[in-house]
């Protein structure tokens, strides 16, 4: 048997009942029922319930360990009754009766809990980021991000694109924000710039004849943080295509974007390929006041100049008569 585990904490099922197994992971939760101790053992893959009673030599060891201690447990897989089973867990049909235990790392008192999702101050979460990243939500978010990036790469490869990694230390190039500068050790008084986007390098690739390029590119911009990006850095799907028309760019990328969103939308409706609305700039500015409108917003800006031509409202009549425009945003009526 492997030194640390024969299975992960998400693999065991009723088919393994009666087997002797070895699991390694973190003590997620402890529940003491007076002589019987229930442990939720967690690893990257999931959770398995471990049981120790007075007949188990593991009981006194588990009893003194704090949450987030790392252990290796060997024991027998037993079936859980219909009343005690947990359908929310992949391993909810079984539990492991602990026969022996090896403590890999005993935890001290935690500065923030891992087993629940209660909010904590940001400075505490960042100071103890290794604990924060163990929490279910953040762990799931990171894994979702990894899967999305892998899915994008597969779709871009399928569309005939080649992935190239471009340099990080580069010369300054004009973009929409300030550069982050890195002093050069070899050339005193000179600085590298971190790329705001791989613009220069991808253009080199295109004029060199590589035809279709993409990269999940890091972009460094010395600007204030926004709601959808970290301060100073973010990643973007960066791509270039040679000898294509605007229509071909749309036709190539719509399936990629629609496919990624369909795969990770969790059942929410996604606009299908070929149904993406194409809104001219003038129409977008007229209706939404933005060239990147949120189409979920039902409030549209309307031109009502003609309604005020002879309204008796002097200011608006003057605006309309002088070639100006009166525009409004209708608001729904509310009733007490």
């Amino acid at each position: 048997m492997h030194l640390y585990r024969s299975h992960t904490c998400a693999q065991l099922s009723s088919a393994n009942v009666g087997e002797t197994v070895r699991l390694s992971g973190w003590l997620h939760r402890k529940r003491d029922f007076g002589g019987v101790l229930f442990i939720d053992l967690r690893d990257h893959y999931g959770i398995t319930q471990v049981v120790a009673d007075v007949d188990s030599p593991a009981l006194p060891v588990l009893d003194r360990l704090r949450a987030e201690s790392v252990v290796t447990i060997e024991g027998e897989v037993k079936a859980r009754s219909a009343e005690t089973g947990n359908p929310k867990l992949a391993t909810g049909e079984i539990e492991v009766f602990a026969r022996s235990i090896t403590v890999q790392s005993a935890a001290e008192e935690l500065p923030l809990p891992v087993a629940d999702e209660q909010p904590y101050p940001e400075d505490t979460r960042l100071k103890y980021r290794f604990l924060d990243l163990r929490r279910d939500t953040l762990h799931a978010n990171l894994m979702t991000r990894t899967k999305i990036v892998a899915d994008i790469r597969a779709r871009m490869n399928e569309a005939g694109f080649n992935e190239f990694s471009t340099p990080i230390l580069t010369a300054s190039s004009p973009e929409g924000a300030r550069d982050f500068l890195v002093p050069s050790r070899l050339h005193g008084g000179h600085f590298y710039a971190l790329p705001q986007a791989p613009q220069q390098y991808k253009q080199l690739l295109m004029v060199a004849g590589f035809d279709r390029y993409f990269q999940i590119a890091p972009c460094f911009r010395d600007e204030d943080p926004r709601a959808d990006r970290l301060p100073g850095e973010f990643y973007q799907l960066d791509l270039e295509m040679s000898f294509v028309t605007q229509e071909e760019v749309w036709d190539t990328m719509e399936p990629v974007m629609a496919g990624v969103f369909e795969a990770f939308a969790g059942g929410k409706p996604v606009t299908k390929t070929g149904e993406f609305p194409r809104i001219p700039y003038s129409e977008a500015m007229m209706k939404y006041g933005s060239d990147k409108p949120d189409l979920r917003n039902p409030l549209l800006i309307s031109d009502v100049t003609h309604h005020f031509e002879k309204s008796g409202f002097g200011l608006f009549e003057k605006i309309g008569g002088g070639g100006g425009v009166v525009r409004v945003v209708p608001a729904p009526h509310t009733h007490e």
Side-chain angles (χ1 to χ4, degrees):
M1 189 181 293
H2 190 275
L3 180 63
Y4 294 107
R5 62 186 179 194
S6 60
H7 299 77
T8 71
C9 290
Q11 281 185 307
L12 298 175
S13 67
S14 56
N16 301 103
V17 170
E19 295 180 13
T20 296
V21 299
R22 185 173 292 163
L23 304 175
S24 289
W26 287 258
L27 299 186
H28 191 61
R29 287 190 181 91
K30 294 172 61 175
R31 300 181 296 281
D32 192 343
F33 288 88
V36 180
L37 191 63
F38 292 90
I39 299 292
D40 287 341
L41 188 68
R42 185 195 77 244
D43 66 6
H44 169 75
Y45 304 95
I47 290 177
T48 297
Q49 178 170 283
V50 176
V51 183
D53 60 18
V54 292
D55 295 327
S56 172
L59 178 63
V61 181
L62 286 169
D63 192 42
R64 70 170 183 265
L65 287 175
R66 289 190 170 96
E68 294 307 300
S69 295
V70 183
V71 297
T72 298
I73 291 175
E74 187 172 316
E76 181 185 348
V77 180
K78 296 187 176 183
R80 295 167 70 171
S81 66
E83 294 77 20
T84 60
N86 186 351
K88 295 181 180 179
L89 291 180
T91 58
E93 298 177 333
I94 59 91
E95 60 192 11
V96 174
F97 183 81
R99 300 293 185 187
S100 65
I101 181 172
T102 301
V103 179
Q104 307 294 352
S105 176
E108 300 294 334
E109 185 174 354
L110 298 177
L112 75 162
V114 171
D116 59 35
E117 294 291 321
Q118 60 180 296
Y120 262 73
E122 187 177 78
D123 56 346
T124 301
R125 294 177 59 194
L126 293 177
K127 182 177 180 180
Y128 301 100
R129 193 62 166 170
F130 65 97
L131 291 176
D132 194 38
L133 290 174
R134 296 181 189 178
R135 303 168 91 180
D136 288 344
T137 298
L138 282 179
H139 186 273
N141 286 349
L142 279 178
M143 291 310 300
T144 298
R145 182 186 186 278
T146 297
K147 293 173 183 176
I148 290 173
V149 170
D151 189 80
I152 290 174
R153 283 197 166 103
R155 294 178 190 277
M156 295 299 286
N157 288 328
E158 182 68 21
F161 286 82
N162 300 297
E163 183 175 11
F164 297 97
S165 297
T166 54
I168 296 300
L169 293 178
T170 183
S172 179
S173 62
E175 293 281 352
R178 291 182 297 271
D179 289 322
F180 279 111
L181 299 179
V182 180
S184 170
R185 178 179 62 85
L186 298 177
H187 307 283
H190 294 271
F191 294 80
Y192 298 104
L194 301 182
Q196 295 185 37
Q199 191 70 34
Q200 292 176 327
Y201 294 106
K202 68 180 181 181
Q203 288 172 342
L204 283 173
L205 289 167
M206 300 317 291
V207 298
F210 286 94
D211 201 72
R212 290 193 174 195
Y213 142 92
F214 88 98
Q215 181 182 189
I216 310 297
C219 301
F220 304 94
R221 299 181 180 180
D222 187 7
E223 60 185 9
D224 294 332
R226 304 182 189 179
D228 61 348
R229 63 178 67 167
L230 292 171
E233 63 178 90
F234 61 92
Y235 282 76
Q236 68 182 26
L237 171 59
D238 200 80
L239 61 103
E240 289 283 349
M241 303 169 68
S242 292
F243 305 114
V244 290
T245 65
Q246 178 176 263
E247 288 289 334
E248 288 174 299
V249 174
W250 288 340
D251 291 342
T252 300
M253 293 311 300
E254 277 189 16
V256 173
M257 301 311 298
V260 170
F261 276 89
E262 284 176 355
F264 297 95
K268 296 179 181 178
V270 175
T271 303
K272 303 297 183 182
T273 300
E275 299 178 4
F276 282 36
R278 299 182 181 180
I279 307 172
Y281 175 81
S282 58
E283 180 183 340
M285 296 305 293
M286 179 61 70
K287 286 185 176 180
Y288 306 100
S290 170
D291 61 352
K292 50 180 180 180
D294 184 345
L295 299 182
R296 296 170 298 178
N297 188 344
L299 302 181
L300 302 180
I301 302 171
S302 301
D303 184 345
V304 295
T305 308
H306 64 283
H307 290 293
F308 290 94
E309 290 176 350
K310 298 179 181 179
S311 64
F313 190 2
L315 176 60
F316 284 2
E317 281 188 2
K318 184 177 180 180
I319 291 174
V325 177
V326 180
R327 301 167 67 195
V328 301
V329 177
H333 293 289
T334 57
H335 301 281
E336 296 294 336

